[in-house]
Amino acid sequence: MTIPDLLLAAAVFVLATVALGMVRILRGPAAADRMMAAQLFGTGGIAALLLLGVATEANAVLDVALVLALLAAFASVAFVQGASHPDGDDSKETHSE
Amino acid sequence: MSIALGLFTIFAVVAGAFFFLAGTVGLLRFPDPLTRLHALTKADNLGLGLVVIGLLPQVAWPLGAIKLIAIWLIVLFAATTVSQLMARAARDGGPPV
């Protein structure tokens, strides 16, 4: 049971928990819940990529995790931007008072 | 020395995987969006943070470690800001689903 085996097992475990988290997308009443599961998917993907990259000594995979980290953030911001003014009119500020 | 680092990696990665599981179970079972967000950010920050700390001794010292820490910092900053935005979107009820 070497370290890389453990890292691969941990990566599979993290992906399994992320797959479990996808149930929230099916059941989530509000759009925000679905977006939370999507963000968990992003972070779980990053963790799995890091584990795989280090286990197989492929440094390119670490860069893939870096890009996924950026894109996951943009996905959530795009959701919030869409949620604050659903008609897509970006000019007016969000009236959340 | 390498055995100690190996053990450290094992414990940190296992703890990180555990927090991923805890965050995902929390995301599924908590009653309303804000508590789910709390569980989600635990999985994000603690799970990924522990995984990254566990991987640090396994990568090439100056470059790989800096890349891992950079990934972790990006996810930390993104997760905190996105959580605030999503909490506001959840509080306002979000777009009609």
Side-chain angles (χ1 to χ4, degrees), chain A residues 1-14 51-52 55, chain B residues 5-15 17 54-55 58:
Chain A
M1 186 61 180
T2 62
I3 294 286
D5 296 342
L6 172 89
L7 296 183
L8 289 177
V12 169
F13 180 78
V14 166
L51 288 164
L52 290 176
Chain B
L5 286 180
L7 278 179
F8 171 74
T9 297
I10 290 174
F11 287 133
V13 168
V14 166
L55 291 179
Q58 306 297 328

Side-chain angles (χ1 to χ4, degrees), chain B residues 39-89:
Chain B
L40 169 71
T41 46
K42 290 301 154 293
D44 273 357
N45 302 337
L46 271 177
L48 189 64
L50 283 170
V51 163
V52 164
I53 290 177
L55 291 179
L56 280 184
Q58 306 297 328
V59 290
W61 172 241
L63 195 59
I66 290 173
K67 190 179 294 185
L68 279 181
I69 291 174
I71 290 175
W72 183 24
L73 286 181
I74 286 179
V75 173
L76 274 185
F77 293 148
T80 46
T81 50
V82 157
S83 300
Q84 297 294 334
L85 293 172
M86 259 199 274
R88 193 183 62 185

Side-chain angles (χ1 to χ4, degrees), chain A residues 16-76:
Chain A
T17 52
V18 164
L20 189 67
M22 289 299 115
V23 172
R24 173 52 57 196
I25 286 191
L26 296 177
R27 272 194 315 177
D33 304 319
R34 293 194 169 93
M35 198 56 221
M36 287 180 211
Q39 195 195 348
L40 178 70
F41 184 73
T43 306
I46 294 167
L49 275 173
L50 288 180
L51 288 164
L52 290 176
V54 172
T56 55
E57 275 100 18
N59 287 333
V61 179
L62 297 185
D63 304 336
V64 172
L66 191 66
V67 171
L68 180 55
L70 289 172
L71 295 182
F74 288 144
S76 302

